[in-house]
């Protein structure tokens, strides 16, 4: 069983790691890459600051630092943190802990563990998004609230050989190369009048235009419909008048404009898949310490983290749900359309990803969350004729559970862990998917 180093390492421990004879040393703090900061155009205060980590103690194994970290108490406001590294194919075998200083109280939080198992999200292998050259590895994001000081430590997991780490020399690194702390300020929800530049305005218009079959151009929300109006709308969307449409009433959905997406951040245009045969349920694993009135800020932060820090083309999820049951548009391209996301590595084709904002490994999801999942899937799966209680086949794009090209039989409403070996969406939320399937099918009239 792996453990964490708590004392100096001798020959015995070094041998137990079965590391190669050639030692790879970590760069010194002086040689670390400089701080990077990006500020959102037209979104006052929105920014991502990327700070290099450096060795924190004198402990080393074969010349490599066992722990890296950073302490800063002189920062501009931020509300979400994460740790990124250079190679998206490298895993972080270790413990990441963060504490932050509150702007409101001036007090430091307790240490919080940041989930390192985030490689299960992202674009499928061999896609343009995955092969863009901009993608990084990274932890899950953690919401810490309005803060101006941070303390982070990343400690290597030791005790057995962690396996190859894809270093340039073919050796082993205790920790991934290029570790950086990502600090995200979500900025304001509504930009100042006339503050959007041409790029942001063009992309904002494009994002709004793809939903005009459902709501007026530039609407902040797509309103709920009753069952009859939803069935009438389905006939317009599909061009087919079905005898038995099997679709649930459309729920209210907050648009990207509604939660304040800075459309200049993402890549231009939209990417679609064939159809929606399945829905994968996730949790953002960003913690539960947010108010529902802050959900838009949390989403703007996750969006920035996915695009600026992780290098994805847009936020990975197709929809997000807050703990009060609010539903939000995720990746741009139209809520009723088959938009390809980056949510379930290997199964982003012909599927959609729904992320519940929060962490549900040990926390039970509120009833409002399960209800929202049922309403959203009853409607969106109904648009594509899918039965929420049924099974379907998806072809794997490659992952750690199923090889590329394998046809996999899955529940139409599945958890992330059904397509990839991961704890997502957390044991407590995963246990509620059966109830969501039953309620969703009932809403469809099945």
């Amino acid at each position: 069983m792996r453990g964490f180093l708590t004392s100096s390492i001798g020959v015995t421990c070094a041998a137990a790691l079965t590391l190669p004879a050639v030692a790879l040393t970590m760069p010194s703090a002086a040689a670390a890459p400089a701080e990077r900061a990006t500020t959102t155009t037209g979104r006052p205060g929105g920014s991502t600051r990327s700070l290099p980590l450096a060795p924190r103690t004198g402990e080393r194994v074969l010349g490599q630092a066992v722990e890296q970290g950073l302490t800063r108490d002189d920062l501009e406001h931020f509300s979400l943190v994460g740790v990124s590294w250079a190679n998206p194919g490298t895993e972080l075998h270790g413990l990441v802990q963060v504490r932050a200083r509150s702007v409101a109280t001036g007090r430091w939080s307790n240490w919080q563990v940041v989930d390192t198992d985030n490689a299960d999200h992202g674009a499928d292998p061999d896609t343009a998004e995955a092969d863009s050259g901009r993608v990084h590895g990274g932890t899950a994001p953690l919401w810490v609230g309005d803060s101006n000081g941070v303390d982070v430590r990343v400690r290597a997991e030791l005790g057995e050989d962690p396996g190859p780490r894809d270093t340039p020399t073919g050796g082993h690194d205790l920790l991934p190369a290029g570790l950086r702390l990502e600090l995200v300020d979500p900025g304001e929800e509504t930009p100042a009048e006339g503050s959007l530049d041409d790029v942001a305005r063009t992309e904002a218009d494009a994002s709004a235009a793809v939903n005009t079959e459902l709501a007026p151009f530039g609407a902040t929300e797509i309103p709920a419909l009753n069952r009859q109006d939803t069935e009438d709308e389905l006939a317009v969307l599909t061009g087919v008048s079905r005898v038995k449409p099997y679709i649930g009433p459309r729920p209210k959905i907050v648009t990207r404009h509604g939660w304040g997406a800075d459309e200049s951040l993402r890549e231009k245009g939209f990417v679609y898949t064939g159809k929606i045969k399945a829905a994968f349920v996730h949790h953002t694993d960003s913690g539960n310490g947010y108010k529902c009135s802050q959900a838009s800020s949390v989403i703007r932060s996750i969006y920035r983290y996915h695009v600026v820090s992780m290098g994805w083309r847009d936020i990975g999820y197709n929809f997000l749900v807050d703990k009060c049951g609010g539903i939000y548009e995720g990746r741009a391209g139209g809520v009723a359309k088959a938009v390809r996301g980056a949510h379930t590595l290997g199964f982003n084709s012909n599927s959609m990803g729904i992320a519940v904002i929060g962490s549900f490994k040990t926390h039970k999801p509120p009833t409002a969350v399960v209800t929202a999942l049922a309403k959203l899937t009853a409607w969106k799966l109904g648009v594509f004729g899918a039965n929420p209680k049924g099974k379907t086949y998806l072809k794997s794009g490659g992952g750690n559970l199923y090889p590329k090209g394998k046809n996999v039989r899955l529940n139409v409403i599945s958890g992330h862990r059904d397509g990839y070996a991961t704890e997502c969406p957390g044991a407590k939320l995963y246990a509620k998917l059966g109830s969501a399937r039953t309620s969703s099918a009932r809403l469809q009239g099945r």
Side-chain angles (χ1 to χ4, degrees):
M1 181 175 180
R2 296 187 179 108
F4 293 96
L5 187 67
T6 56
S7 61
S8 59
I9 300 296
V11 174
T12 302
C13 290
L17 290 171
T18 62
L19 297 178
V22 179
L24 297 176
T25 59
M26 299 299 296
S28 66
E35 172 182 338
R36 294 194 307 265
T38 62
T39 301
T40 305
T41 301
R43 193 67 65 182
S47 66
T48 302
R49 177 169 290 174
S50 182
L51 306 174
L53 303 189
R56 290 199 68 159
T57 70
E59 297 172 281
R60 289 178 175 268
V61 173
L62 297 182
Q64 298 179 41
V66 170
E67 182 174 308
Q68 293 188 47
L70 174 76
T71 302
R72 290 282 295 270
D73 59 3
D74 58 345
L75 297 167
E76 297 294 330
H77 291 208
F78 63 91
S79 297
L80 181 138
V81 302
V83 172
S84 68
W85 53 90
N87 186 351
T90 300
E91 295 182 10
L92 194 163
H93 295 281
L95 178 67
V96 178
Q97 293 176 298
V98 170
R99 63 183 186 132
R101 186 179 64 189
S102 168
V103 169
T105 67
R107 292 195 296 267
W108 288 87
S109 70
N110 294 326
W111 286 100
Q112 299 183 74
V113 175
V114 183
D115 192 354
T116 61
D117 296 323
N118 199 42
D120 45 3
H121 297 77
D124 290 350
D126 302 322
T127 61
E129 184 171 1
D131 297 338
S132 67
R134 297 187 300 274
V135 181
H136 298 118
T139 66
L142 178 69
W143 178 260
V144 294
D146 193 13
S147 305
N148 58 10
V150 69
D151 196 1
V152 59
R153 56 193 184 196
V154 181
R155 192 168 183 81
E157 187 179 29
L158 303 175
E160 66 179 47
D161 180 9
R165 300 298 180 87
D166 299 324
T167 61
T169 60
H172 294 67
D173 274 343
L174 296 184
L175 292 169
L179 285 172
R180 304 184 74 94
L181 175 65
E182 306 290 331
L183 303 172
V184 181
D185 174 10
E188 301 296 329
E189 185 165 336
T190 304
E193 186 67 27
S195 64
L196 295 182
D197 63 16
D198 291 343
V199 173
R201 174 57 61 197
T202 298
E203 293 306 313
D205 288 349
S207 181
V210 289
N211 284 319
T212 52
E213 291 177 308
L214 312 179
F217 180 84
T220 58
E221 65 179 48
I222 295 167
L225 293 182
N226 61 36
R227 185 176 184 83
Q228 184 58 57
D229 288 344
T230 303
E231 292 180 2
D232 293 343
E233 177 185 80
L234 179 63
V236 174
L237 291 173
T238 63
V240 177
S241 181
R242 304 179 187 180
V243 174
K244 192 67 175 176
Y246 291 121
I247 186 170
R250 189 182 72 197
K252 184 179 79 172
I253 302 170
V254 178
T255 64
R256 289 173 65 92
H257 180 55
W259 56 259
D262 177 0
E263 301 292 358
S264 68
L265 284 179
R266 63 173 174 81
E267 286 189 29
K268 296 179 181 179
F270 314 117
V271 178
Y272 297 98
T273 184
K275 55 184 175 180
I276 302 299
K277 298 171 63 179
F280 286 99
V281 177
H282 306 253
H283 66 170
T284 59
D285 210 10
S286 51
N288 303 312
Y290 69 95
K291 299 176 182 178
C292 291
S293 60
Q294 297 175 307
S296 290
S297 294
V298 179
I299 295 170
R300 290 198 305 278
S301 297
I302 294 172
Y303 171 46
R304 264 193 162 273
Y305 186 69
H306 283 181
V307 176
V308 179
S309 301
M310 300 293 289
W312 301 353
R313 65 170 289 115
D314 194 350
I315 192 170
Y317 310 114
N318 297 104
F319 296 93
L320 297 99
V321 174
D322 68 33
K323 61 187 179 182
C324 293
I327 300 171
Y328 304 80
E329 178 183 15
R331 180 162 287 207
V335 297
K337 301 181 186 299
V339 179
R340 184 194 297 272
H343 48 83
T344 305
L345 187 68
F347 291 100
N348 291 306
S349 292
N350 297 328
S351 73
M352 66 175 181
I354 306 169
V356 181
I357 303 170
S359 301
F360 299 101
K361 294 175 184 175
T362 59
H363 287 79
K364 183 179 178 181
T367 300
V369 164
V370 182
T371 299
L373 290 173
K375 288 180 177 180
L376 177 58
T377 53
W379 171 70
K380 183 63 181 281
L381 292 173
V383 171
F384 291 89
N387 181 353
K389 291 185 70 175
K391 303 277 188 178
T392 191
Y393 282 90
L394 293 178
K395 181 176 290 188
S396 172
N400 65 358
L401 269 184
Y402 303 104
K404 184 176 181 179
K406 180 176 177 61
N407 282 315
V408 182
R409 191 169 184 257
L410 295 161
N411 287 310
V412 168
I413 297 179
S414 285
H416 188 177
R417 64 177 62 183
D418 295 322
Y420 197 99
T422 174
E423 292 186 0
C424 185
K428 296 295 186 180
L429 179 55
Y430 188 77
K432 292 294 183 180
L433 295 189
S435 297
R437 293 183 192 107
T438 299
S439 297
S440 181
R442 186 181 301 118
L443 286 168
Q444 283 192 348
R446 294 182 186 272

